[in-house]
Amino acid sequence: MAASGNDAKFFTRGKIQEFKSELQDAARGKDKKFQKRKTVLKKIVANITMGNDMSQMFPEVIQCLPIPVLEIKKMVYLFLVSYNRVRPDLIEHAIPHFQAVR
């Protein structure tokens, strides 16, 4: 991820609906280098770090798993690890996505 000084802008409380629409727009649009999705995932991980519940973002975050960018895969993994203990039911739904990525 980028230097910590540049990442401070991601640590603002965001609304789940805004994150969902940003990820969906990026998936439909011309986000060829995946920069938009990377930015939104950074905001989501920052919100998790601040203690905000982002579990409602599960379907949109899992859709980012097949993206061939290591930084994005790491953020998806952080998302899953964060909710593993609290919401194990979500993790069960992620297994087919991991198997498809191989």
Side-chain angles (χ1 to χ4, degrees):
M1 291 188 207
S4 61
N6 297 335
D7 288 345
K9 63 185 173 199
F10 299 116
F11 285 87
T12 57
R13 184 173 176 91
K15 295 183 180 179
I16 291 174
Q17 199 55 40
E18 289 175 11
F19 293 148
K20 282 186 178 192
S21 65
E22 286 179 32
L23 279 177
Q24 290 167 352
D25 290 345
R28 282 189 296 256
K30 297 179 180 178
D31 189 23
K32 291 182 181 177
K33 294 189 178 182
F34 309 107
Q35 290 299 322
K36 181 68 173 170
R37 284 179 261 198
K38 192 184 301 184
T39 301
V40 177
L41 286 170
K42 284 182 181 181
K43 291 178 187 177
I44 292 168
V45 170
N47 271 269
I48 292 169
T49 304
M50 293 186 305
N52 300 327
D53 182 20
M54 295 282 125
S55 61
Q56 294 177 8
M57 293 295 305
F58 181 81
E60 288 79 12
V61 172
I62 290 300
Q63 288 176 357
C64 294
L65 193 57
I67 296 173
V69 177
L70 184 59
E71 190 174 7
I72 290 176
K73 289 183 182 296
K74 286 180 180 180
M75 287 186 279
V76 172
Y77 176 76
L78 285 171
F79 181 89
L80 292 173
V81 168
S82 297
Y83 292 108
N84 183 35
R85 291 188 185 128
V86 182
R87 300 283 310 270
D89 56 312
L90 293 179
I91 303 305
E92 292 175 11
H93 297 293
I95 293 171
H97 294 280
F98 277 112
Q99 292 172 340
V101 171
R102 282 198 248 173

